[in-house]
Each structure stands twice: as structure tokens, then as C-alpha cells.
Amino acid sequence: MSPSAAGPCAPPAAVLCGLAGWVPSRVVTNEHLARRLDTDDAWIRTRTGIRRRHVVDPGQSTSDLAVEAGRRALAAAATDRVDAVVVATTTPDHSCPATAPAVAARLGLTGAAAFDISAVCTGFVYGLASATGLIAAGVAERVLLIGADTYSTIVDPLDRANAIVFGDGAGAVVLRAGHPDEPGAVGHFDLGSDGAHEDLITVAAGGSRQRSRPGEPSRQDRHFAMRGREVYRHAVTRMAASARATLSRAGWKIDDVDHFVPHQANLRILYSVADELGLPRERCVTHVESVGNTGAASIPLALAYAAARQALRPGDRLLLTAFGGGLTWGSCLLTWPTLPAPAHLYDQPPHPHDGLARHHDGLARPHDAPAHPYDQGERTTS
Ligand code: UT7
């Protein structure tokens, strides 16, 4: 669907009309991790740009985060009715059933269509495409799309390579039927996959492949595993290619992109993709420093974070690009609409030095950054 070519008979587009994010209040800083793992703050910051991540308390699950983000997004859209609830997640509450129906019920949306999307860290972009399809087909007038993940429930806390990277969180958008030419219309997608590399990011146990085998799974198989270095290389190549394909479909040049909102995998990956595209790093929206890699939540959380800081102005042009296990990847474009600024993602204010990439010149952060209350705020050891 080409917005510029949209005629009077064009199918309705999905238009962004509500946005919110939420992260749990328990914070794990790099210093906290260094107390129990063979790692240190300097290694983590240099390799990933991450300073802290939020994690769920014992007993909390993905649906708890999804409900909170969803409730806030519905309030932002000033609506309490949607026709479909879509939850993108790699950490559903249960293998069966999907998490979305329970989220819908808890939001007072019983009766709405509800299903999960399993596309790992690309789930939110796949979700935008699915919501666009539901609206274009006339199945839904309004869709609540939530990206929510609790990686702390699947990452081995003793696995230093992954425990430093991932955090928990949820981001949500409300999409309504509208015109392809209006601000907020989501359009021009590129989605792809390469299952030949499914082994690069896995939780080996818990599915039919393992359950149909005799014997109990090993501790390693029950946890999230990632071949980080190879994933890194694929992430940069695939995200750059997907971004280029999407821009070319829309007839946009790199210079037309005011904000690049990549999946927040690792600051080095984000900047490498920007460099590969020839996009100034200042145009990258980054939030990974404060929340780590939050999987399917990372793009809507980054959007909510940037919007809360009023960094996104109506009419600004955004390029969203994600990459994840599968392998999967995807991109889409969006012109920023007039939206109420989302409330804080945090129950307490964020670190004063957390910010968008334009506020710093690479991976380095000021060494004299004031101590943040979260640094003493770990509620329990994780
Ligand atoms: O969201 C889906 C997509 N995910 C991604 O895109 C993530 C992609 N990958 C990454 O972000 C990075 O690969 C990691 C951050 C996970 C790892 O960084 P890296 O620079 O690729 O490190 P590495 O795995 O190649 O390990 C380099 C060295 C190893 O030591 P030797 O073998 O060179 O002696 C590791 O054992 O660093 C060691 N290492 C650590 N050292 C201190 C690994 N983790 C740590 C750690 N602290 N936490």
C-alpha cells in the first residue's frame, strides 16, 4: 500500500492513536550483576552500552507488564474499546493458551479477538503488520498491540553473556482505522525470515521437539541460548538490508528519516546499522542504556521514551527496524502524529543521564554522572 498513491477506494490504514510503555520497578545495575557474575560495568558498557535493566519480581509475569502497558495505551488513546488485542512475546505466561486473551480479559476487553505473535525480537513489527492487515480487511476498527517480554524468566542468571543483555518490559500502541495519507498511518513494510539459522537463538526445551523425547531436559536446554557473535553479524546485515528495502518501497531517501528506531539489542549494533545506512547516529532513538534488550517490547518502549521526552514532533518521519530469533527481521515507516506525551515508563523518574543518542557522542557516558536512587534500589537479589 503506497500512501502517496492511496485513492478514495484504498483500504483503511492502521493509524497510531495511543502509545505507552511500562517497566517493572526492580532494577538490576551492572554493579549488581558484577557482584554475582564474572563481569564488570566497563565490559558491559563497552560491549553493549547497557547500564541497567528492569526485571520482574518473583511471581510477576509477562501478562502483568502487558496489562499495565495496555491500560496506559488505551487511556492515551482515550478509548476503552478495541476489536483485537495482539500480544507479541517470546515469554508467554504459558505454552498454552496464548497470553493475549487473558490480557484482554483483564483490560475489560473480553469478546475482542486476541492472539499472540511469536517472532522473538521482531514481534512488534510483525504485530504492526498484522494489525494493519486486520484493519485493512475490515476485521477491526481498533487494535491494541502490545510488545511484552520477561527475559529474566528464561535467561539463566548464571549465564553472564545473556544476563547482562536482557531486561523485562512492555510497550503498547492503539491503532485505529484511518487514511493512508494521514500522520500516524503505519505503512511500507518489509518482513523476512531465515529458519536455516534457528539455532542461533533458542530455548531448546519446552516445545514438542523436546517433549516428544524421553528424559528430562538439561538446565542449559531449559534456558535461553544465543550465539551472540554470530547473531550480532546477522543483526547488522539484516536490519540494514530491511531498512533499505523499506525506504526504497516508499521512495524515501536516508535523509528523509528524522528518527531511526531500531530494536534495542545492543548500542553497538544500533550504531553499526546506522553507520551502514549512512544515517547520522544522532538520529537513532536509543533506550537500551536504561532497560537493556527487552525483546518485543524494545521498539514501543523506545518510542514511548522518546515521545515522553518530546523528542518526536508531529510530522517527523520514523523508520522502525527489528531483528530477532528465527531468524526474523522487519521494518516499517511512520509519520509521527499528534499524540499526548506518554506518562513515565517508570514508577520513579529515570536516570538524569539516560537519554537519546543525540545527547552523547558514542558509547561513553560522563563518569561523574550522579548516583541514581535505583543504584541502591534493587528490591531483591536476582
Ligand atoms: O535481540 C535479538 C538480537 N540479539 C542481539 O542482537 C545480540 C547480539 N550479540 C551481542 O549483543 C553480543 O554478542 C554480546 C553482548 C551478547 C556479547 O558481546 P561480544 O562482544 O560478542 O562478546 P563475545 O560473546 O564474543 O565474547 C568475547 C569475550 C569472551 O571471552 P574470550 O573467549 O575472548 O576469552 C567471553 O567469554 O568476552 C567474554 N564475555 C564476558 N566477559 C565479561 C562474555 N560475556 C562476558 C561478560 N563479562 N558479561
Side-chain angles (χ1 to χ4, degrees):
M1 179 164 49
S2 162
S4 53
C9 298
V15 176
L16 177 64
C17 64
L19 166 69
W22 194 71
V23 291
S25 56
R26 185 156 67 112
V27 171
V28 177
T29 63
N30 294 347
E31 290 77 13
H32 290 135
L33 290 173
R35 279 183 222 148
R36 63 174 168 79
L37 293 170
D38 181 16
T39 189
D40 58 73
D41 174 55
W43 193 97
I44 301 172
R45 273 192 293 120
T46 314
R47 298 288 177 129
T48 70
I50 299 167
R51 287 174 166 263
R52 60 179 58 78
R53 64 290 293 144
H54 293 243
V55 300
V56 290
D57 277 325
Q60 264 184 322
S61 73
T62 295
S63 68
D64 299 327
L65 309 191
V67 166
E68 187 57 35
R71 188 181 62 71
R72 290 170 180 228
L74 290 168
T79 186
D80 56 6
R81 281 313 311 162
V82 297
D83 308 297
V85 176
V86 181
V87 175
T89 187
T90 305
T91 54
D93 281 14
H94 315 283
S95 308
C96 173
T99 300
V103 170
R106 286 169 61 187
L107 289 169
L109 298 168
T110 299
F115 61 94
D116 288 2
I117 288 189
S118 176
V120 195
C121 298
T122 318
F124 183 76
V125 175
Y126 270 63
L128 285 175
S130 304
T132 297
L134 290 171
I135 287 172
V139 174
E141 273 276 320
R142 275 200 176 82
V143 178
L144 172 63
L145 167 64
I146 306 171
D149 266 315
T150 53
Y151 270 86
S152 69
T153 63
I154 57 170
V155 168
D156 183 346
L158 302 177
D159 171 4
R160 68 174 179 171
N162 288 316
I164 60 150
V165 172
F166 290 93
D168 302 340
V173 292
V174 178
L175 300 149
R176 62 164 172 81
H179 195 274
D181 283 337
E182 69 177 295
V186 181
H188 293 289
F189 283 92
D190 172 71
L191 301 180
S193 76
D194 182 357
H197 297 290
E198 66 167 0
D199 56 328
L200 293 186
I201 295 178
T202 55
V203 179
S208 58
R209 179 77 67 200
Q210 171 260 314
R211 284 169 186 271
S212 68
R213 282 195 192 120
E216 282 300 307
S218 67
R219 175 189 172 94
Q220 198 183 354
D221 282 353
R222 281 188 278 112
H223 284 111
F224 177 88
M226 176 168 72
R227 303 227 298 267
R229 217 176 272 192
E230 286 164 78
V231 171
Y232 190 112
R233 280 198 293 271
H234 278 284
V236 174
T237 315
R238 306 290 197 182
M239 285 169 86
S242 178
R244 275 198 201 97
T246 310
L247 292 174
S248 136
R249 258 168 225 159
W252 287 18
K253 305 254 178 307
I254 275 292
D255 278 349
D256 294 330
V257 177
D258 297 307
H259 307 279
F260 178 45
V261 191
H263 165 50
Q264 308 282 304
N266 170 333
L267 202 57
R268 283 162 62 214
I269 293 180
L270 315 192
Y271 285 158
S272 298
V273 176
D275 294 349
E276 179 88 19
L277 291 171
L279 193 83
R281 290 182 176 189
E282 308 82 70
R283 294 194 205 161
C284 284
V285 171
T286 73
H287 188 220
V288 67
E289 303 95 323
S290 321
V291 293
N293 179 341
T294 55
S298 86
I299 287 183
L301 271 176
L303 286 174
Y305 184 69
R309 299 200 145 206
Q310 298 184 340
L312 308 177
R313 288 162 314 214
D316 282 358
R317 285 161 299 185
L318 276 65
L319 165 63
L320 279 46
T321 299
F323 172 84
L327 301 174
T328 55
W329 56 85
S331 302
C332 72
L333 302 176
L334 166 69
T335 301
W336 199 247
T338 303
L339 279 186
H344 271 306
L345 319 180
Y346 313 90
D347 287 339
Q348 302 164 53
H351 191 287
H353 284 266
D354 289 347
L356 305 173
R358 70 178 50 145
H359 296 305
H360 49 90
D361 55 358
L363 291 178
R365 290 298 208 127
H367 289 297
D368 57 353
H372 184 260
Y374 285 155
D375 291 343
Q376 298 101 48
E378 192 181 22
R379 285 161 55 182
T380 55
T381 48
S382 53

